[in-house]
Amino acid sequence: MKFTLSWLKDFIDTPATLSEITDKLTAIGLEVEGIDNPAETLKGFVVGHVVSATKHPDADKLQCLVVDTGKEKLNVVCGAPNARAGMKGVFAPVGSYIPGSDLTLKKGVIRGQESNGMMCSERELQLSEEHNGIIELPDTAATGSDAASALGLDDPVIEINLTPNRGDCAGIYGIARDLAAAGLGTLRPLSLPKLTPTFENPVKVSIADTKACPLFIGRYIRGVKNGPSPEWLQKRLKSVGQNPISALVDITNYLTIAMNRPLHVFDADKLKGNIHVRPAKAGETLAALNDKTYTLQDGMTAVCDDSGVLGLGGIIGGVPSSVSESTQNVYLEVALFDTTRTAMTGQKLQIDSDARYRFERGIDTAFAHDGAAIATQMILDICGGEVSDVAVAGVAPDASRTIAYAPERLKLLGGIELPEARQKAILAALGFEVAEAGKAWNVKTPSWRADVEGAADIVEEILRINGYDNIPAVTVRPAADEKLEPLSPLAKRGTIARRVLATRGLCETITWSFLDEASAELFGVNRRQNKAALTLTNPISVDLSVMRPSILPNLIAAAGRNTDRGIGNAALFEIGNCYWSVEAEGQVLTASGLRSGDARARHWSGAARRVDVYDAKADALAVLEACGVNTANIQISTDAPEWYHPGRSGALRLGPTVLAWFGEIHPAVLAAMKRDEAYAGFEIFLPSLPQAKKKGPQKELLRPSPFQPVSRDFAFILDETVEGDKLLRAIRGAEKKLISHAEIFDVYQGKGVEPGKKSVAVAVLLQPAEKTLTDEEITAVCQKIVEAVKAQTGGALRG
Amino acid sequence: MSNLEALKKEIVETVKAAGDIQSLEEVRVTALGKKGRVTDLMKTLGTLSPDERKEMGQALNRLKDEISAEIDARASILKAAAMNARLASEKIDVTLTPRPENKGSIHPISQTIEEMITIFADMGFSVAEGPEIEDDFHNFTALNFPPEHPARQMHDTFYLPDVAGKTGDAAKRLLRTHTSTVQVHVMQTQKPPIRVIIPGRTFRSDYDMTHTPMFHQMEGLLIDKAAHMGHLKGCLIEFCKRFFEVDDLPTRFRPSFFPFTEPSAEMDIGCSREKGELKIGAGSSWLEILGCGMVHPNVLKNCGIDPDEYQGFAFGMGIERVAMLKYGIPDLRTFFESDLRWLKHYGFGPLEQPNKALG
């Protein structure tokens, strides 16, 4: 909402300065978004009187002027052809910044003649593109006075950001009322004209649905003369960015902006029969005033005559019935339209108009008749003519309500105590009527404040006029004994996973929660719920249209982009939701990471190594361990889903619960994503992790064994299909109390090992707890290990 | 005795001549070993008279000690030389780069969220979570957005297909446009007093210089029997001072409008803009930082809380925005581009965990 300072002052009598006014507007909730003050840019420029003008002795096109600046007479060299003695113009003294030339004036000598300043063109002041000569001011302009005011540019434009609840301030009068209530001046009452009808209104009005259009007032004015509106009106409209069109149209725009009273004028000679307001029928069309033709839908509010739709109620009028320069008889429409329907119709047809802006926020229902009278009088004053009586259909609904309000609510909810008299005064100034009813008050809201619904709104009204700054701040710090556990177990896991992965050298990223359909399909969007259920009905683009079933495709794409940019070997992770269904439990917080290219880059210290499944497995296990999962209990199965390499991937499980998938990405998936580096990744489903056992801060007592541990190496010949994990489990199970650790340190196939077999070397650590092991005991344990391996894997000691 | 002197001289010469530990050891064996020359002489003592034996014995022992000392001295010289030779042979180019290690980083949004949690936790707030795919009720209806109100459209909502078998609010699925949805879940399931903050992803269909279709918000909710606008101000002023690390940070509250709060406010913090550089703190300008207000009685009612008994405040802020302001990150869109140069530059080390003790 834009207005100028002088227009505001039409309605409020105030000695306040511009900055006092704008500060107050922001303080009462009418946030000032911008102030365009031409006087600010033209500060220092004055009206200069050219006392004499003589030809420059050494230049044909230059003149030497003597300019009276009001303070002194200065020599100025000037090249403008219209510069002449006796004229008045805009003088820029030395030191002025010339916005149109982007330079700061210096004292100069031009071809031997001293020049102390400049007479300016419109282009130099950025007023227009005119640069054929210098600005000529009327003789009445006082020499030495501010140029801005002589140019009529001393009217700052203020733009406020109007919140959707404050329809009443979509008119300048409403803004003036709020400022006056806030103590910034006195509201000037509107003068209401008395009109004398001279003939009977020939056009009657009717309404089919009074919910959509509760009131319609029509008035016939005949014998008008349309044409350009008077200069003051044009200037007002131009100052807020409106193009003057004709007197009749400008008057409606004036009422809209000044008094938040949108209205419409028809050329009465173009109307056929009476006016009826009714729901549109699907397929009816309107050639609207914005030069577009709209096809209406059922239920949109149409203002019609016998020929069909004339306009969309509350939104826009039509071309065929519009006024023109030759209009002689005019029909004025002043109506009320339903806020919701106006908004819906406006949205559906995508029409943004000044009328819609106001009707969808709600206008003052009690101001229809007065608004009609003011508009009619303006038409008579400017265009002449005589008026009929008004045709009225419907009644203005009573928009005011009575709210029970106890003055102590201000302290209880608003946190500030104000005397009852002060509270009452604020409410009265805003147009509320206060009736005391015992301890509580009955507060009647004004017709223009439909947004005020309850006691909390009354508190806000008093607080905002008194100033939010005056509410004392109070701490909310809890009492010292208050127990505090800020993070849920799930959130804690996310935080731990984040720190662990970053420590392990992965960079955290955040990618979109939606991706393209092809990627979604590659990563199992259809595994649990049909893709259609997870596809946005109004995506921002096809690339961002399906809720991601996995974070990996985004990480692969991101790593790929970095690689293409020359930053290879990306290691990335993200902690965020995967979406397996639209229900809450189908939105799974996942910690997913990806390493690409080389795990160990080319380096003098050793050969490069490509990332592989074990990198992903190590990352996943590190997160699980940090989240309190006993990794010794984890089982590994080889049934990771189809986007992993089937022979180089796995699932980490606790019984039937899958905690994570890990592995190298399936080559076909990478090919589909047009990547050819190595990729290994993991997905950890944080909600599936077991709840860490709640213990006190105390740790379990450490009982280090005082006895020497013994290490023994074994090499077994196994079928190549026997998994290492199975071998280790067999070994550990052979003598649980003694075997504290078993680790595979070599896997060999080739010369000396029969095809289909492999040799696996294991280091086993025996840790006695009660006494040092004897040679016989060690031999016995070794024997047990060999037997267990044979029984469980079919393997034998390598000969 | 002169024989012994001659022997000593001879042996000491061979000791001095030993060029390395190995030959020195040979000298030692030759002289003092089981069959060494000194040992051989010791063996002859038995053939001597007691007096001669005593005298010869003492002399031989002395000789043995002297030779041992000579050998030890020679040994330490040789060892030092051997060590020097080894060190010289082991010299390598220490200017070569060490074995490469990957350095990980934490995204500025995560870091900012953790910083916020640290500050609000200190004021008694805990973290709540809720779904990102929501229904119409939690995103709009419960929060006092009237049906078909323009404000619903102002949110540029992303929709998913209606859920089969459900009707009305419960059938309509959308991506939450604000974290305020979780306020509703919390109030429906917890009894006041309530103090929660809700960081999380939010979605609106808008993509330009200053909007991304996905972004993050931090929501806060405090409900008890007495919380008022003064508490709201106290809570948020303290937060902003600590978050931006400016003790004398100017703040101001302006009346505003949100369907779910009444009274409503927006909070600004002071800043200065000089030579194109924005600085948070005392200055001539204001920066809008968050929206807040007293929870609307209709919202309490919609969530099953008696507005005649309980009241409180809520607030919400854009996490990207405050992160950009605090850390001087210029472009919103870069947050989601996964550019490693950006992640490493604007990201945080894994050990830079927000911590009250470290500030």
Side-chain angles (χ1 to χ4, degrees), chain A residues 66-399:
Chain A
V66 175
V67 177
D68 181 358
T69 69
K71 276 192 244 156
E72 54 192 329
K73 292 194 173 68
L74 296 172
N75 291 320
V76 174
V77 177
C78 179
N82 63 334
R84 62 189 184 277
M87 75 175 290
K88 283 182 178 171
V90 177
F91 173 73
V94 167
S96 315
Y97 174 74
I98 310 296
S101 320
D102 187 23
L103 60 82
T104 301
L105 272 189
K106 286 189 200 131
K107 188 171 175 155
V109 177
I110 301 171
R111 298 218 180 171
Q113 297 296 311
E114 195 177 285
S115 187
N116 304 288
M118 184 167 106
M119 296 298 286
C120 302
S121 72
E122 290 194 1
R123 192 173 79 188
E124 281 157 345
L125 299 187
Q126 280 185 333
L127 302 176
S128 76
E129 282 308 301
E130 177 59 50
H131 192 53
N132 289 326
I134 53 176
I135 295 169
E136 297 196 34
L137 291 172
D139 284 346
T140 49
T143 301
S145 66
D146 278 348
S149 96
L151 287 161
L153 292 173
D154 51 350
D155 196 6
V157 182
I158 301 165
E159 183 165 14
I160 59 169
N161 178 15
L162 199 59
T163 53
N165 58 324
R166 293 304 305 277
D168 62 306
C169 287
I172 300 169
Y173 185 76
I175 296 168
R177 181 170 46 215
D178 244 33
L179 280 173
L184 222 69
T186 315
L187 188 67
R188 298 184 208 269
L190 294 175
S191 63
L192 292 176
K194 260 197 128 50
L195 296 162
T196 318
T198 56
F199 63 99
E200 192 192 325
N201 194 331
V203 180
K204 307 297 180 207
V205 295
S206 64
I207 299 168
D209 177 357
T210 52
K211 199 177 170 313
C213 173
L215 173 69
F216 193 105
I217 301 167
R219 194 191 291 268
Y220 203 108
I221 305 158
R222 69 184 179 199
V224 300
K225 193 180 170 320
N226 199 10
S229 57
E231 203 178 314
W232 71 265
L233 180 51
Q234 291 201 23
K235 203 176 148 195
R236 281 270 182 266
L237 295 179
K238 275 191 209 161
S239 67
V240 297
Q242 289 258 350
N243 281 330
I245 293 166
S246 70
L248 287 169
V249 176
D250 292 354
I251 290 165
T252 66
N253 287 335
Y254 177 86
L255 266 283
T256 302
I257 295 163
M259 295 171 200
N260 192 27
R261 183 50 264 192
L263 20 84
H264 188 69
V265 282
F266 299 100
D267 187 325
D269 296 322
K270 295 176 184 166
L271 295 177
K272 292 198 173 58
N274 292 323
I275 286 183
H276 28 273
V277 185
R278 60 163 171 84
K281 296 185 210 66
E284 285 184 298
T285 58
L286 172 70
L289 284 169
N290 60 3
D291 295 328
K292 289 185 190 156
T293 298
Y294 295 95
T295 304
L296 310 188
Q297 298 169 23
D298 274 329
M300 292 178 168
T301 305
V303 178
C304 310
D305 68 358
D306 293 350
S307 70
V309 179
L310 301 172
L312 272 168
I315 297 178
I316 199 162
V319 172
S321 58
S322 63
V323 295
S324 66
E325 294 285 311
S326 58
T327 295
Q328 291 174 350
N329 302 309
V330 63
Y331 196 79
L332 175 71
E333 164 199 317
V334 183
L336 297 174
F337 295 101
D338 178 60
T339 53
T340 306
R341 283 175 211 226
T342 306
M344 300 275 291
T345 302
Q347 269 161 31
K348 278 185 193 153
L349 299 178
Q350 301 202 331
I351 305 173
D352 285 317
S353 68
D354 286 325
R356 174 191 161 189
Y357 180 81
R358 289 167 174 83
F359 277 114
E360 72 182 14
R361 282 168 171 74
I363 64 167
D364 183 358
T365 53
F367 186 65
H369 284 278
D370 291 348
I374 292 170
T376 306
Q377 187 61 53
M378 273 185 84
I379 293 173
L380 293 180
D381 290 347
I382 293 171
C383 306
E386 53 182 325
V387 300
S388 74
D389 58 338
V390 285
V392 180
V395 287
D398 183 3

Side-chain angles (χ1 to χ4, degrees), chain A residues 759-770:
Chain A
S759 167
V760 179
V762 185
V764 178
L765 194 70
L766 306 174
Q767 175 61 67
E770 282 148 18

Side-chain angles (χ1 to χ4, degrees), chain B residues 118-134:
Chain B
T118 309
I119 298 169
F120 282 118
D122 210 32
M123 292 190 254
F125 289 81
S126 59
V127 177
E129 295 130 11
E132 290 163 8
I133 300 176
E134 263 293 0

Side-chain angles (χ1 to χ4, degrees), chain B residues 246-265:
Chain B
V246 179
D247 286 340
D248 58 350
L249 182 70
T251 57
R252 92 179 168 184
F253 288 77
R254 288 179 284 106
S256 188
F257 171 77
F258 307 103
F260 35 93
T261 50
E262 189 71 41
S264 304

Side-chain angles (χ1 to χ4, degrees), chain A residues 493-494 496-498 501 551-552 555 572-578 588-594 619-620 623 627 644 659-661 681-687 689:
Chain A
R493 282 174 213 155
I496 291 169
R498 175 175 298 119
L501 291 170
I551 301 173
L552 284 176
L555 296 181
L572 294 167
F573 77 97
E574 177 172 355
I575 294 166
N577 277 348
C578 293
V588 181
L589 185 65
T590 305
S592 185
L594 179 81
D619 288 334
V623 169
C627 288
Y644 289 99
L659 306 183
W661 293 321
F682 60 88
E683 294 161 86
I684 302 166
F685 311 111
L686 297 175
L689 270 51

Side-chain angles (χ1 to χ4, degrees), chain B residues 170-188:
Chain B
K172 224 174 188 46
R173 281 292 182 284
L174 46 80
L175 300 187
R176 68 180 181 197
T177 60
H178 44 196
T179 41
S180 313
T181 52
V182 187
Q183 281 187 33
V184 180
H185 288 289
V186 169
M187 286 192 278
Q188 283 176 324

Side-chain angles (χ1 to χ4, degrees), chain A residues 476-477 486 488 509 574 579, chain B residues 127 129 132 195 201 238 338:
Chain A
V476 298
R477 281 187 170 282
S488 72
T509 184
E574 177 172 355
Y579 307 86
Chain B
V127 177
E129 295 130 11
E132 290 163 8
R195 284 185 186 212
R201 289 183 186 211
E238 178 175 349
S338 303

